[in-house]
């Protein structure tokens, strides 16, 4: 039995008030996931902004003499 099938079976056995709580939680998680995905997509589509140090090759290291 898949997790989806098990969830559907469990939902059929609980009160409506518990089903409402589960639904609220599921919608919350979906919203959070959608927000993460849209953030990831926008990060991919925009070039990363580099600091001046990054553009110059990073922090200079002291040379040993």
């Amino acid at each position: 039995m898949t997790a989806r099938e098990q969830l559907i079976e469990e939902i059929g056995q609980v009160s409506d008030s518990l089903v409402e709580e589960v639904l609220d939680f599921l919608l919350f998680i979906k919203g959070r996931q959608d927000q993460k995905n849209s953030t990831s997509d926008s990060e991919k589509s925009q070039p990363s902004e580099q600091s001046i140090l990054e553009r110059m090759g990073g922090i200079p290291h002291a040379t040993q003499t």
Side-chain angles (χ1 to χ4, degrees), residues 9-51:
E9 185 176 304
E10 292 295 327
I11 287 172
Q13 298 174 16
V14 297
S15 68
D16 287 345
S17 62
L18 186 54
V19 170
E20 289 176 22
E21 285 187 53
V22 171
L23 177 59
D24 286 343
F25 183 63
L26 179 61
L27 294 174
F28 167 74
I29 293 171
K30 280 181 59 180
R32 190 172 62 182
Q33 188 176 35
D34 290 345
Q35 188 177 22
K36 275 186 193 177
N37 290 340
S38 67
T39 301
S40 296
D41 292 343
S42 67
E43 287 174 355
K44 290 176 189 174
S45 64
Q46 296 176 358
S48 63
E49 294 184 22
Q50 293 181 324
S51 70

